[in-house]
Amino acid sequence: MERVLVLLGLFVLLAMVGKAQSDWKDVNGEYINAHGGGILAYGGKYYWFGEHRPAKGFITEVGVNCYSSTDLCNWKHEGVALPVSPEAESEIGKGCIMERPKVIYNKKTGKFVLWFHLELKDRGYEAARVGMAVSDTPAGPYRFVRSMRVNPGIFPMNMSQPDRNMQWDWDKYKEWWTPEWRKAVEEGLFVQRDLKDGQMSRDMTLFVDDDGKAYHIYSSEENLTLQIAELTDDYQGYTGKYIRIFPGGHNEAPAIFKHGNIYWMITSGCTGWAPNEARMFSASSIWGPWTQHPHPFIGPGAEKTFGGQSTYVLSLPENKYIFMADVWKPDSLMYSRYIWLPIEFDKAGMPVIEWKNSWKPK
Ligand code: DGJ
């Protein structure tokens, strides 16, 4: 394990100072190509799912990649868990974009359930859908089930009756970022606009709580507002319960973990592939209220998340947590790097993520 994390730390350091080319390779010496990823712990192994990214451009050419490891350092390529489809009419046909895949295991059905951000061919980032696929085995192959918007026809639980009743005069809100527009966004302008077809879903993660309930957490409303939606018992759909958090807060890249009875969430701002100052939130119920705190990073580059953007927090036994982030290389996304750092807690119980050149779990 020691070798693992020293390697990771070195990796992080080099990523931060921008010197390049220490890259994380799998056990066969190939670049680990698993960006915007997350980890499933199952049967004594870790499975890392992430975006396979091409050397040029940002359209998905291959699909969702999967690696396995027993020590979090040495990763074996298991193959493509969900490939793009060769069928032109498929929603996941060549030309789509698959981002931020996350897999959870459903104890009741015995199925592994993969959710990911899906953009449809030739539509840029406008479709803002979420895709779902299932498998009987952790590494797949996964069978694509469907894509969707979130909870069509249903208002968020925490949207007030007056806001639900608003009749927006759309001509007044064509121009973005005016004070009137901001107020309208906070009051649910885009929730109303998307009510019939369902809420937008771009950057996303999944979270399984201690009671087995699972949640989809996603950037919605034109990336302006995060939403949290409860999943059905089989983790393959929505119950209809969902909330908005930080309307107009412009959060992407949500990563969530629970420490004791507190839910913590780390997000980024919205600056494309460029790093920015992370945000941190907490709540004592998944349904909020959520409170914002200063970001948890300490060390050179902390104010820009050490050059990275959050993607996942891996919860390990004994209250250990690993913060995972991507250092995007937009000129060649395939070579984007990874930052993994331990989450510690200060005397007041606040999460702290300190820059470390090398580290290992105590
Ligand atoms: C930022 C998001 O966090 C990424 O996942 C990706 O969607 C890029 N934007 C695309 O520009």
Side-chain angles (χ1 to χ4, degrees):
M1 189 58 121
E2 180 165 4
R3 201 188 120 218
V4 176
L5 297 161
V6 169
L7 175 72
L8 296 185
L10 176 67
F11 189 81
V12 171
L13 174 69
L14 291 173
M16 185 190 71
V17 299
K19 282 211 185 126
Q21 297 310 330
S22 168
D23 296 285
W24 201 353
K25 303 214 170 129
D26 68 14
V27 292
N28 288 326
E30 304 288 337
Y31 288 104
I32 295 179
N33 198 334
H35 312 283
I39 308 263
L40 166 78
Y42 181 82
K45 275 194 187 175
Y46 298 99
Y47 294 86
W48 177 356
F49 297 87
E51 305 154 8
H52 179 288
R53 289 289 191 172
K56 281 276 164 241
F58 59 93
I59 304 297
T60 302
E61 291 177 3
V62 173
V64 174
N65 234 347
C66 178
Y67 296 80
S68 71
S69 172
T70 51
D71 62 6
L72 293 169
C73 173
N74 296 290
W75 291 94
K76 173 177 168 243
H77 189 211
E78 292 283 345
V80 182
L82 180 68
V84 291
S85 169
E87 292 163 28
E89 66 280 9
S90 167
E91 288 184 317
I92 59 163
K94 277 212 164 167
C96 75
I97 305 171
M98 294 175 176
E99 292 187 350
R100 298 194 177 259
K102 307 289 179 299
V103 170
I104 52 180
Y105 174 62
N106 189 287
K107 286 186 185 143
K108 286 186 187 146
T109 62
K111 302 253 186 239
F112 299 85
V113 190
L114 162 66
W115 290 64
F116 57 101
H117 169 197
L118 176 66
E119 295 295 346
L120 304 176
K121 185 172 188 279
D122 298 332
R123 288 176 57 186
Y125 278 84
E126 162 224 68
R129 296 178 76 79
V130 59
M132 195 266 297
V134 295
S135 170
D136 294 324
T137 51
Y142 283 73
R143 177 177 60 84
F144 178 63
V145 180
R146 63 177 179 279
S147 88
M148 57 212 137
R149 283 282 188 91
V150 185
N151 284 322
I154 303 174
F155 278 111
M157 294 191 293
N158 62 347
M159 190 156 159
S160 71
Q161 200 57 49
D163 287 350
R164 293 179 191 211
N165 293 341
M166 284 300 286
Q167 304 280 327
W168 297 103
D169 173 359
W170 280 94
D171 286 342
K172 278 169 67 183
Y173 302 102
K174 281 193 180 136
E175 190 187 340
W176 284 35
W177 311 115
T178 65
E180 301 75 32
W181 177 92
R182 279 180 196 277
K183 184 162 175 289
V185 167
E186 281 167 30
E187 291 172 355
L189 180 76
F190 293 118
V191 175
Q192 293 273 13
R193 184 196 66 183
D194 296 335
L195 192 69
K196 183 162 160 289
D197 295 330
Q199 301 298 308
M200 300 175 96
S201 173
R202 291 201 183 111
D203 279 10
M204 58 145 280
T205 193
L206 298 177
F207 175 70
V208 181
D209 210 338
D210 306 328
D211 61 3
K213 281 203 182 303
Y215 301 88
H216 176 215
I217 300 145
Y218 52 101
S219 301
S220 192
E221 304 175 37
E222 301 288 355
N223 287 353
L224 290 156
T225 300
L226 284 171
Q227 296 184 353
I228 301 180
E230 187 182 74
L231 301 187
T232 49
D233 282 353
D234 64 2
Y235 300 167
Q236 295 184 33
Y238 297 104
T239 62
K241 285 174 78 172
Y242 75 110
I243 57 167
R244 315 169 68 210
I245 59 173
F246 300 101
H250 229 183
N251 288 287
E252 281 192 319
I256 184 170
F257 66 104
K258 189 179 184 184
H259 178 60
N261 292 323
I262 305 292
Y263 301 83
W264 294 96
M265 181 152 51
I266 297 170
T267 69
S268 72
C270 297
T271 51
W273 303 111
N276 55 49
E277 185 172 342
R279 295 95 183 269
M280 183 167 73
F281 310 96
S282 72
S284 51
S285 160
I286 193 89
W287 299 126
W290 285 85
T291 307
Q292 183 158 5
H293 308 278
H295 72 71
F297 299 98
I298 297 180
E303 68 291 346
K304 290 231 170 132
T305 323
F306 309 129
Q309 185 187 29
S310 42
T311 182
Y312 195 71
V313 173
L314 172 61
S315 298
L316 297 170
E318 298 172 20
N319 288 323
K320 294 198 169 102
Y321 307 91
I322 299 180
F323 169 78
M324 295 167 51
D326 298 286
V327 180
W328 297 112
K329 301 285 170 195
D331 290 343
S332 189
L333 284 170
M334 167 182 174
Y335 298 107
S336 302
R337 301 211 184 89
Y338 311 100
I339 293 176
W340 291 26
L341 286 168
I343 302 180
E344 285 155 343
F345 296 88
D346 68 13
K347 287 198 184 105
M350 297 293 289
V352 172
I353 304 175
E354 191 169 0
W355 178 260
K356 291 181 194 315
N357 293 342
S358 65
W359 61 281
K360 59 175 181 170
K362 291 187 186 77

